[in-house]
Amino acid sequence: PESPLAGFSTVLSQTPPISSISSEGREDLQVNRLETQIWIKPDIQKTDVDFSEILNAIQEIAKDVNIFFDELEGVNSPSKDDDSLLHHGNLTSTSDDASRLEVVGEEVPDKNKANGLYFRDGKCRIDYILVYRKSNPQTEKREVFERNIRAEGLQMEKESSLTNSDIIFVKLHAPWEVLGKYAELMNVRMPFRRKIYYLHRRYKFMNRIEKQISRFRGWLPRKPMKLDKETLPDLEENDCYTAPFSQQRIHHFIIHNKDTFFNNATRSRIVHHILQRVKYEEGKNKIGLNRLLSNGSYEAAFPLHEGSYRSKNSIRTHGAENHRHLLYECWASWGVWYKYQPLDLVRRYFGEKIGLYFAWLGWYTGMLFPAAFIGLFVFLYGVTTLNHCQVSKEVCQATDIIMCPICDKYCPFMRLSDSCVYAKVTHLFDNGATVFFAVFMAVWATVFLEFWKRRRAVIAYDWDLIDWEEEEEEIRPQFEAKYSKKERMNPISGKPEPYQAFADKCSRLIVSASGIFFMICVVIAAVFGIVIYRVVTVSTFAAFKWALIRNNSQVATTGTAVCINFCIIMLLNVLYEKVALFLTNLEQPRTESEWENSFTLKMFLFQFVNLNSSTFYIAFFLGRFTGHPGAYLRLINRWRLEECHPSGCLIDLCMQMGIIMVLKQTWNNFMELGYPLIQNWWTRRKLRQEYGTQRKTSFPQWEKDYNLQPMNAYGLFDEYLEMILQFGFTTIFVAAFPLAPLLALLNNIIEIRLDAYKFVTQWRRPLASRAKDIGIWYGILEGIGILSVITNAFVIAVTSDFIPRLVYAYKYGPCAGQGEAGQKCMVGYVNASLSVFLVSDFENRSEPTSNGSEFSGSPLKYCRYRDYRDPPHSPVPYGYTLQFWHVLAARLAFIIVFEHLVFCIKHLISYLIPDLPKDLRDRMRREKYLIQEMMYEAELERLQKERKERKKNGKSYHNEWP
C-alpha cells in the first residue's frame, strides 16, 4: 500500500470491539477524545511506524472508537449542571452504557475509592480542591469560573461536606492532554534518558589508599546519619537527564505510566497555573483564582495530602503507605533527629521553594557545629584558667578596697571582694580566647555564605533549576485597580498594562520611609523607657526588705528589665506587622515578588531594631556617660544614669543575650507548633463530640485536609525571619556570649523537626512552587555578616576589658617594656584601674544614708570607682590621667586594625572560593554534550526508521541525508 500507515490500520481493524476488551486490555488501550491520542499495545509499539504520524491519522481510522468514547464520556464526565455534579447517588444510563460501566468498575480498585484521593470512579486522581459555601452570594461568578474551568479541559466533581451541608468541595482533575499541553507551555522539565556516570582515571597508589580507608571504615559505625536507602523511593528524575516537555518529542521521554509521569506536586502546580488564568466575569481584570479567594467567592483552595501520615504497619516491614507517611517516618519523626534530611523527597512533595528553605536550614545547622564547638572551647578555656586569672584573684582578695555606691542614697558602700562571683563569671566569657573567637566567627559567616552558594549550585543542578527563569509575573489586582486609567506598553509582552507615574511612586516611597523612621523612633522611645526603669528600680531594689534582692540589686534590676524588654518586643512585633503591611500596601508594588521583597525588608528592619536596640544600649552606652562621683550626669536633671557593675558591663550583656535568645526561641517554637496543635485538637474534639470517633476516621482526605490549618499567609517569611534574627544573635555580639552558637545549634536541631512535623501533619499541603535561591534573605545575611565585624570590634575594644589589660601589661605593669603579657604582668591591674574619690565631695542628693562605718569602725573618707582619673588632691581634681588617653588610643587603633584585617580575610576567602564547584562545572558541560548527542541519535534513529518504512512500502524517495 502507498500509505505508510496502512499496516497499522490493518492491525487496528483486527482488534476486537472496545466494549469486549478485558480490564487488562483497557489498561493498554485507552482513547481520549480531546487530543485523540492512543496508548498502543506492546505488540503494536514494535512496528516501525512513527508515533506522531499515528496520532495524526487516528481521526480517520478510529471513528468507532471516538463514538464509543463520546458515549462513555456522557456517562462518566460530570455534567455542566451543578446539581448533577453534587448528586451522591449512583449514575444512571442506558443498558449499553451500564454494561460498559460494569466493565470499567471491575478494574477500579476499591482502595482508590476509599482513600479520598480519587473521583467517584476511582480512576481520576484529585489534583486540586476548591471550597465554597452555598450561602455565599457570589454564585454567578463561581458558575462562570467553573464553566471556564471545564472549557480548559479540567474535569470536575462536587461533594458536600459530611459535617456541614453548607460547605461544598470542588474536586479537580487534569487529564493527560491538559497536563501535556500546559507542561509544554510552562517549560516543565521531565526525564528523558538515564544519566551515565563515569569514573575518573585512578592511579594504583590512590586505589591502595582507598582500600585501606575502606578497611578502616569497616570498624566504624556505618554512617548512622544517612537515611536507609531501602525505605526511600527511587526518585527517577534525579538519575535522569531532563528537558522541557514537548508533545512533539514525546517519544524521547521516559513514560512508564501516563498517570504517574507527572508527580502530584507538578500536577497541582499545572492546575493552579490554569486556575490563575481563568476568567470569572466579563472584564479585562476579572481573572484568576486569587481574586475569587480575596472577594470570598471561594473559602479555600489547596492540593491534597497523599493520604494519612500514620500507618498501623511498620514502615520497615510493610513499606510506606504514601510519600506523606514516608516523610513523617524519615523526616518529621523525632526518632530521626540525628539523620540527614531527605531533601529530594521534600522537594518532590512540597516543591523547590520549600525544599530550598530546608536545604538552607540544614546547611546552616551543619555549619553551626564548628562554631558551637569553638564557642564551647572558649567557654571551657575560661573555666580551666579561672583559678589562674590574676584579675579575678585580686578582685576576690580586695577586702580592703571599698567601692562607691552605684545609685543615689539607698545604695550602700561595698567591698570590691563582694563582686568576686561576677568577676569569675565575666572571665568565662572575657578571656584571652575571646578575640580569636570573634575573628573566627567573622570568617565563619563568610565561609558559611560562600559555601552555601556552592551548595545551592549543586542543589539547583540536581533539581533542574540552573536554566529556570521566573515567568513574567502577573500584576497585583490592587495595582490594576489603582492605576487602570493610565496604561503603557509592556516592553516584554508588548501588551498595554497599568502604569504608575514616577512622581506618585516617589511620594509614596517618601511617606513609607517616614513611617519606617517613625517606628524606629518608637523603638528608641521604648528603650529609653527601659533605661528609666533600670535607673529607678536599682534604688528601689537597694532599699528592699529581702536581703537577697538588696544585696544583688543590680542583677535583679538587669533581670527584670530584660524580661520586661522581651514583653515589649513581642507586643511591638504585632504592631510592626500591621504597620509594615500598611506601608507596603501604601507603596503599591506592581507584582507579588516586589510586594514580598518590600514587606520582608520592612519587617526585618523593624524586628531587628526592636530585638537588638536594648542589646546595643547595654553593649555600647551603659556606664559610658555617667560622669564620676560628685558630678554625675542625669536624665532630665533628675535620674542618675546607671553604672556598670564593679566587674564590668559584660555580665549585663551576657544576661541580656542569654535571656532574650532563650525566651525568643522558646516562644517562636510554641507559636509555630503549639498554636496549630491546639487549633487542630479543638477541631478534632468538636468533630468527635458531634459525629463520634468512628465517623471521624471515615472522613475523605479533602475533609481531613480542610480541617487542618492553612499555611501562613506570608509563606516562608516567618520561618526565614526567625532564623535570620537568630543568625544575627549568633554573629553580631558573639564576642560577649560565646555560647550563642551552641544555643542556636540546639534550637535548630529541634527547629528542623518542628517545621517538618508542622508541614507534614498540621498544615494543609502548600502549593508546590519553584525558586532558584532564598531570595532577598541572602543579601540580608551578607549585611549581617558585615555588621557583625563592626560590632564585635567595638565589643572587644569598648565593652570588654581586653584593651585596658593589654595597655597595662605592656605600659604600666611589672612587665612594662619587656614585651610580655602573661598573668604575672597583670599584678596590680585592679588597683590601677580604680580611681579615688573623697566622700565629702558627694552631692547632697547623691550622698548615701550610711557613712561606711561598718567597714572600719569610723566614717569612710575615701571610696573607689572604675575610671582613669586624678585623685581629689591633684592640681586638676578628677581630671583624666595619661593612662586613660593611652587606653582610648589603643581602643581606636584596635577597632581599625581588627576591622581591616577581618574584612581583608573575608574578601580573600570569598575570592578564593568559587561559586560553582569544579566537578559540578565539568558535569554540567558533559551533560550538555551528552544531551546534544542523545538528541542527535534519537533524531537519527527516527529518520532511519522512516527510511526503512518507506523502502518497505515501496515508496520512492530522494537520496536525502542520512
Side-chain angles (χ1 to χ4, degrees), residues 347-401:
R347 170 246 181 171
R348 181 169 184 168
Y349 194 84
F350 292 110
E352 286 80 3
K353 194 169 186 178
I354 294 176
L356 270 173
Y357 163 71
F358 281 103
W360 177 83
L361 181 56
W363 183 257
Y364 171 47
T365 304
M367 289 292 290
L368 278 174
F369 274 96
F373 176 78
I374 300 297
L376 183 62
F377 170 78
V378 171
F379 179 77
L380 294 178
Y381 173 80
V383 173
T384 55
T385 59
L386 184 60
N387 295 328
H388 305 286
C389 177
Q390 181 63 31
V391 176
S392 299
K393 286 181 180 179
E394 291 186 0
V395 170
C396 294
Q397 295 171 1
T399 56
D400 57 339
I401 297 179

Side-chain angles (χ1 to χ4, degrees), residues 54 86 93 123 148 167 178 182 194 231 353 396 405 479 493 520 540 574 634 637 929 937 939:
I54 296 174
L86 196 57
S93 61
K123 295 171 61 177
N148 291 332
I167 298 176
V178 177
Y182 280 94
R194 284 196 170 273
T231 61
K353 194 169 186 178
C396 294
F479 185 88
S493 63
I520 292 177
T540 305
V574 178
R634 298 178 180 274
N637 198 28
Y929 168 77
E937 291 175 1
E939 196 67 20

Side-chain angles (χ1 to χ4, degrees), residues 230-241:
E230 294 181 358
T231 61
L232 292 176
D234 181 21
L235 303 178
E236 188 177 68
E237 58 264 31
N238 291 337
D239 294 326
C240 297
Y241 295 114

